[in-house]
Amino acid sequence: MLAGCALATTSAAQTDTAKTADKTTQTVRLFDAVAKHPGPSWQKYEEPLGGSEVNRQQRETAFIQEQIPKGDSFKAWKRLYGVVAQKLPGMPMQDFINQSLTPLVQACGRENFTATVQPLANDYTLIRVVCQNTPHIPVGSGYGEGVGEVGVFWFGKQGDTLVKIYQQWRGSKFSASQAASWPVSSEEVDTMTQRLSTTALAPAS
């Protein structure tokens, strides 16, 4: 997201990628959880994290791994895919969701922000957000007046581990009511929404 959510220990995450048809599935250990989730929309390779630039940061109770297409820049990304995990004993899922999305809501302003919430099985939640402009954040952060974003965010919890997996698309400001003006096609958003809805967590052994 706008201000990365978290970071974690090297032993906290181990990634394996397997190809299935025209998409990939990644399995990663995140503290109490093992997450099985799709790769980003551009990833069509059998190699782990193929076709991506990867930025991974870790601390004792938090982990973040973000990917962008090979050759792109993390400073000026247009497509970003991420996995965030935090070990937060006692934190309700809704508080984690609010903590994760509040910076984006603030940057957009409620006049520019819409969200569609889709509850899933096992108390997982999928949220699609459309932010047509981000005028409430200083220019220079990759956001600011004239920059908009579309995102799909999956949220889940296993034990004390809260997980967010997401893809975001960023570009020039646009009209939320005119999908043709978005920085991504509605077909790509629909595809990633469906793929992220298959994400699941299991207890770590």
Side-chain angles (χ1 to χ4, degrees), residues 39-186:
S41 62
W42 64 86
Q43 185 172 322
K44 300 180 184 298
Y45 300 88
E46 196 163 46
E47 301 87 353
L49 307 180
S52 296
E53 306 283 354
V54 179
N55 179 33
R56 177 187 293 192
Q57 299 181 57
Q58 306 183 42
R59 292 181 186 162
E60 185 177 352
T61 59
F63 169 84
I64 181 169
Q65 177 175 285
E66 292 186 319
Q67 299 171 236
I68 56 174
K70 204 80 167 176
D72 286 0
S73 161
F74 276 102
K75 183 177 181 180
W77 59 265
K78 296 184 183 302
R79 291 185 291 177
L80 177 74
Y81 185 89
V83 177
V84 164
Q86 291 182 274
K87 192 166 185 179
L88 297 169
M91 175 174 276
M93 171 93 95
Q94 190 58 53
D95 289 356
F96 178 64
I97 293 173
N98 293 342
Q99 172 187 290
S100 297
L101 294 182
T102 293
L104 183 58
V105 176
Q106 292 175 338
C108 302
R110 294 196 176 274
E111 70 277 14
N112 293 309
F113 183 88
T114 58
T116 303
V117 180
Q118 179 182 347
L120 302 172
N122 300 313
D123 295 325
Y124 303 151
T125 299
L126 191 69
I127 301 178
R128 290 172 59 152
V129 304
V130 177
C131 170
Q132 58 188 10
N133 195 14
T134 53
H136 304 294
I137 191 169
V139 175
S141 62
Y143 292 87
E145 173 61 41
V147 179
E149 176 179 300
V150 175
V152 182
F153 300 84
W154 179 96
F155 295 92
K157 183 177 183 180
Q158 175 65 53
D160 291 330
T161 300
L162 293 138
V163 178
K164 175 181 72 171
I165 301 174
Y166 53 96
Q167 182 155 336
Q168 296 166 269
W169 299 264
R170 189 169 67 182
S172 299
K173 70 178 181 180
F174 56 89
S175 171
S177 63
Q178 298 178 3
S181 69
W182 294 8
V184 57
S185 69
S186 57

